[in-house]
Amino acid sequence: MGAFFIQPLITAALVLVLTAPISGLVLDGYRFDLHWQPPLWLALAAFFIHVGLILIRRLLRPGQKAPPQQNSRQIHPTVLRTATILLPLLGLLLPFFLGKYWLTVAILALIYVLLALGLNIVVGLAGMLDLGFVAFYAVGAYGYALGQEYLGLGFWAALPLGASLAAGLGMILGFPVLRMHGDYLAIVTLGFGEIIRLILNNWVSFTGGPNGMRVDSPTLLGLEFSRRAKEGNVPFHEFLGIDYSSNHRHIFIYLILFLVVLATLSLVTRLKHMPLGRSWEALREDEIACRSLGINHVTVKLSAFALGAMIGGIGGVFFAASQGFVNPTSFTFFESALILAIVVLGGLGSIPGVIIAAIVITVLPELLRDFSDYRVLVFGLAMVCMMIWRPKGLVQNRRPVFQRRSA
Amino acid sequence: MAETPSHREPILELKNVSSHYGPVRALEGVSLTVHQGEIVTLIGANGAGKSTLLMTLFANPRATVGEVFFAGTKITHLPTHRVSPLGLALVPEGRRIFPGMTVIENMELGRTALGQQRQKVNLEFLYNLFPILKERRGQKAGTLSGGEQQMLAIARALMSQPRLLLLDEPSLGLAPMMIRKIFALIQTIVQSGTTVFLVEQNANQALQIADRGYVLVNGQIRLTGTGHELLTNPEVRQAYLGKLTHRE
Ligand SMILES: Nc1ncnc2c1ncn2[C@@H]1O[C@H](COP(=O)(O)OP(=O)(O)O)[C@@H](O)[C@H]1O
Ligand SMILES: [Mg+2]
């Protein structure tokens, strides 16, 4: 029975250590006050949650420690169907209940979902470690900013432009790295990401350098979301005869972004079961076998790079649109690492896992805003814990199971 | 034992083929033919160049000298992925299945060579041949036993409905009973109309089911003859059959 409590005790101790500096130290004027209650409560809660989990696990699996049947872990089809209808609906309604601050957080979360879905194709499905994914994100964002500055393009033209620019760049990067694997690939892509950032930072006459560039917000059928429109245009709120609110702009961006995420999601889930998606996975597992089976590893790898990059580029366009401003500091290596962390935490290749991880990793730091200094620390610890207890990620990439028809 | 039908064009023909890994020569002046409907075996010790010969058909490595013909088409310099669509399928040494993917996904990938045609592949035929794969089709391939993985590798290759099936040491690392099973399966496959080129170190079993055989030594063809001839050849018995203590 003693062993029963050991793990929960360890959990409680960990929680205590982790949360004590965050919730136990309260800033009062120029002093820190030490409050012991909050971390203790958290540790206690963690202890009971862990005990509860163990109990539940025992109840669900009485008797022998037989490995769970694969079929019993499948989600019931009606539950799945209701969820696929209900969740998008909820997502579409969500922005109307959020304040401005949380709206921007929600947009950021969706952008990270998009980025993670893109990187997931390259790293999770095709198995190529890309440490420079932020380059495509930057290309999308700057594609919009530069297109507006020099070509007078609006958001709707920037969207395909940013996407194809990023996809093209993905292909260009893809060619030299086709013959590389693992560490070498990681180093080259890392360098690539930095090169793009350095170009944006140093080509001052073209990109504005560290000062960045301003970006207009998107328009709806030519209607602007500003208080006053440019010459001759009617702003959105006047057109509808409603009061001006800066939220409209964010709600609008959120809604388009949400639809884009849904479209990407359906594309990616579908691809997973199509020959192309299968080839990505197969290539990750055994390249020689693939080639002898007739899979062209060049087109398959390039398509993974290009598609991942394209999704990253679209994310970048939305980032520029929602911020209204871009500069190179948004596209550092840390950003690449963050996106990679999302993909790894989510469980390489698992789409639901990646979505959950993206939302958790963007929303949680906002909830813990006051302790933002500890964000990276908490991240690192979360990663270490994950790798120990759930090495295959939050949601393990589950294979579709084919039911036996006859007994 | 079938006579070699010399008037017919061979389905596979190697003419004086040499292959190199960088400066290292792995094959030297290899010529061999396989005719429609035959089981032809290639035996040789470890490192003789058997796998290299098979991979040379897939231009990986490419033949540095000589020519390879498949069904009248010269394939010497075709890119690797363009070879199997012509009707060749390889069961590689060490099986090389996709361990993280399910049995059925592995098999589906075998269909790639058929390209856009999307022909209805006779899954039932394969499932009759390998009932265990039908049972395990939703299971990850990496969790199958060695023998089952070998069956999967063969089934995956057969998915492309090849005219010629190339097998690289299918008995490698299997228990004797499983080896017998695999060899019986190979004979069934030949009866269904697929030509088989079988690479083996297990010379005894391979020569027993083969119509003809070649013996490869240090990258060169040393001997050739019918299965029976080679089985009774003193040199083969000495070198590959351990002085034939277990004649069957
Ligand atoms: N990728 C490679 N690079 C360099 N040498 C190789 C490679 N693969 C095989 N060899 C060499 O080529 C020779 C033939 O090997 P292989 O064809 O694998 O023999 P077998 O299949 O008959 O055991 C061996 O000497 C082996 O060391
Ligand atoms: Mg070999």
Side-chain angles (χ1 to χ4, degrees), chain A residues 137-148 151 153 158 161-162 165 317:
Chain A
Y137 184 39
V139 164
Y142 267 89
Y144 184 10
L146 293 168
Q148 186 188 53
L151 304 171
L153 298 177
L161 176 82
L165 266 181
V317 174

Side-chain angles (χ1 to χ4, degrees), chain B residues 46-47 49-52 93 168-169 199 201:
Chain B
N46 221 341
K50 306 181 298 297
S51 301
T52 305
E93 182 173 3
D168 195 348
E169 301 203 33
V199 165
Q201 281 198 60

Side-chain angles (χ1 to χ4, degrees), chain A residues 70 275 278-279 281-282 285-286 288-296 397 399-405, chain B residues 55 58 80-81 84 90 96-102 104-105 108-110 112-113 118 135 137-138 140 156:
Chain A
Q70 238 177 336
R278 292 255 171 86
S279 308
E281 284 189 77
E285 304 222 313
D286 197 317
I288 292 179
C290 276
R291 287 165 65 181
S292 71
L293 287 176
I295 292 169
N296 184 350
N397 189 8
R399 302 260 129 211
V401 174
F402 293 77
Q403 304 277 333
R404 243 185 256 195
R405 273 197 214 100
Chain B
M55 292 314 291
F58 287 86
T80 306
H81 67 272
S84 63
L90 172 68
R96 289 185 173 270
I97 50 151
F98 306 114
M101 307 179 82
T102 63
I104 188 83
E105 282 172 327
E108 287 290 336
L109 279 159
T112 315
R118 288 273 152 263
E135 217 172 282
R137 68 196 137 167
K140 276 193 187 178
R156 182 181 68 181

Side-chain angles (χ1 to χ4, degrees), chain A residues 132-321:
Chain A
F133 193 68
V134 76
F136 307 119
Y137 184 39
V139 164
Y142 267 89
Y144 184 10
L146 293 168
Q148 186 188 53
E149 176 83 17
Y150 295 104
L151 304 171
L153 298 177
F155 173 79
W156 294 104
L159 210 51
L161 176 82
S164 38
L165 266 181
L169 209 66
M171 290 253 229
I172 292 172
L173 173 67
F175 264 109
V177 303
L178 271 180
R179 299 172 139 262
M180 287 174 203
H181 296 273
D183 310 350
Y184 302 101
L185 179 67
I187 291 167
V188 171
T189 50
L190 173 71
F192 176 73
E194 282 301 287
I195 288 170
I196 296 288
R197 189 179 63 81
L198 288 173
I199 290 175
L200 294 175
N201 206 30
N202 292 312
W203 196 355
V204 180
S205 59
F206 185 57
T207 64
N211 295 331
M213 300 178 79
R214 226 186 53 77
V215 181
D216 281 345
S217 62
T219 56
L220 172 64
L221 302 169
L223 299 174
E224 291 178 23
F225 286 89
S226 45
R227 188 180 292 278
R228 264 181 250 300
K230 283 184 201 134
E231 71 281 357
N233 280 352
V234 185
F236 173 78
H237 63 102
E238 275 179 26
F239 183 80
L240 283 191
I242 53 179
D243 285 341
Y244 172 77
S245 155
S246 61
N247 273 2
H248 292 160
R249 184 173 83 94
H250 288 115
I251 290 175
F252 179 62
I253 294 175
Y254 176 96
L255 290 177
I256 321 166
L257 181 55
F258 192 77
L259 294 179
V260 169
V261 168
L262 282 187
T264 310
L265 207 56
S266 85
L267 174 77
V268 176
T269 35
R270 221 156 283 181
L271 268 172
K272 244 183 119 171
H273 304 291
M274 288 196 329
L276 183 61
R278 292 255 171 86
S279 308
W280 288 337
E281 284 189 77
L283 213 56
R284 178 185 69 195
E285 304 222 313
D286 197 317
E287 187 167 326
I288 292 179
C290 276
R291 287 165 65 181
S292 71
L293 287 176
I295 292 169
N296 184 350
H297 71 296
V298 175
T299 50
V300 169
K301 277 190 178 179
L302 284 186
S303 67
F305 255 110
L307 202 67
M310 190 186 88
I311 295 173
I314 294 175
V317 174
F318 276 99
F319 178 72

